Amino acid sequence: MAKINGNEIRSGYVLDHNGGLWVAVKVDHVKPGKGGAFAQVELRNLRNGSKLNERFRSADRVERVRLEQKDQQFLYESDGRLVFMDVETFEQTELPAELLGDRRPFLQEGMTIVVEFFESEALNATLPQKVTCKVQSTEPVIKGQTAKSSFKPAILDNGLRIMVPPFIGKDEEIIVNTETIEYAERV
């Protein structure tokens, strides 16, 4: 683990702070007119999900933790737990389903995702940025609408409702951005 100064903290960094592992969700660097500069950091605990707002001065030293990333294949969900398998060693790992939040519907059987480990403990999972989905149903195009900024609602095969361009029809495959949960492009 490397020690870094408080003003070097960036979003996404994992810190060993107050005896726990915290990820920096939001970082604001503040330079007040009076006094020294500091970083106002919103932290989320990787083990229990609790949040904390902390102020780090540039002289403060913090432990930055590097998590090991491994490709894992999604097998199944059981009792609110997602079961993954390491593609090299075939070891199975379980994570809580609520870890993915509103991105959970994008997880498909057999999909390869990145699971982050600290020592041997699985802490976080990251879906691919773009996922292919099939449009289950959508409204017909209304004549006279301009294509400039008109989008129509569509329901995907995973049950999510997103906005798509008017030229997308039923049973078409589209690519959805899993970070923003928005239409990206047609397959």
Side-chain angles (χ1 to χ4, degrees):
M1 288 189 276
K3 282 210 179 256
I4 60 171
N5 291 332
N7 61 348
E8 295 174 1
I9 298 171
R10 303 281 178 263
S11 287
Y13 279 20
V14 178
L15 308 173
D16 185 359
H17 180 67
N18 290 348
L21 290 175
W22 301 80
V23 64
V25 178
K26 187 177 174 187
V27 180
D28 289 323
H29 292 280
V30 181
K31 186 172 182 188
K34 202 174 190 181
F38 60 88
Q40 185 70 37
V41 183
E42 182 180 321
L43 300 167
R44 182 177 51 84
N45 191 307
L46 284 173
R47 291 191 173 108
N48 61 23
S50 63
K51 290 198 173 184
L52 173 71
N53 280 312
E54 199 72 51
R55 183 177 287 186
F56 295 98
R57 303 219 170 266
S58 59
D60 294 342
R61 303 285 289 169
V62 195
E63 289 278 343
R64 180 173 178 204
V65 178
R66 295 204 188 271
L67 298 178
E68 182 183 357
Q69 296 183 336
K70 290 184 182 177
D71 285 343
Q72 302 269 317
Q73 185 177 20
F74 175 62
L75 298 177
Y76 59 90
E77 181 176 357
S78 172
D79 299 326
R81 311 265 318 152
L82 305 174
V83 180
F84 299 95
M85 179 183 68
D86 190 311
V87 292
E88 294 171 8
T89 64
F90 304 109
E91 290 180 31
Q92 291 188 0
T93 305
E94 285 190 20
L95 287 169
E98 63 265 8
L99 184 72
L100 294 176
D102 53 358
R103 292 174 184 80
R104 167 63 189 96
F106 291 112
L107 190 60
Q108 300 161 359
E109 196 171 307
M111 179 183 276
T112 301
I113 67 163
V114 177
V115 177
E116 295 178 320
F117 290 86
F118 177 69
E119 293 166 357
S120 62
E121 179 185 7
L123 294 173
N124 198 10
T126 309
L127 288 171
Q129 186 175 3
K130 294 185 176 181
V131 173
T132 303
C133 295
K134 192 172 187 178
V135 176
Q136 200 84 15
S137 66
T138 185
E139 296 174 2
V141 179
I142 300 169
K143 270 194 166 188
Q145 271 188 328
T146 59
K148 185 178 173 186
S149 64
S150 62
F151 277 75
K152 61 182 183 178
I155 297 174
L156 303 178
D157 56 354
N158 58 13
L160 281 179
R161 183 182 173 102
I162 67 167
M163 300 300 281
V164 297
F167 57 83
I168 299 294
K170 183 179 186 236
D171 295 330
E172 278 193 61
E173 289 193 338
I174 61 171
I175 295 177
V176 180
N177 184 328
T178 59
E179 292 174 5
T180 59
I181 309 178
E182 292 177 346
Y183 167 85
E185 60 187 297
R186 186 191 275 185
V187 174

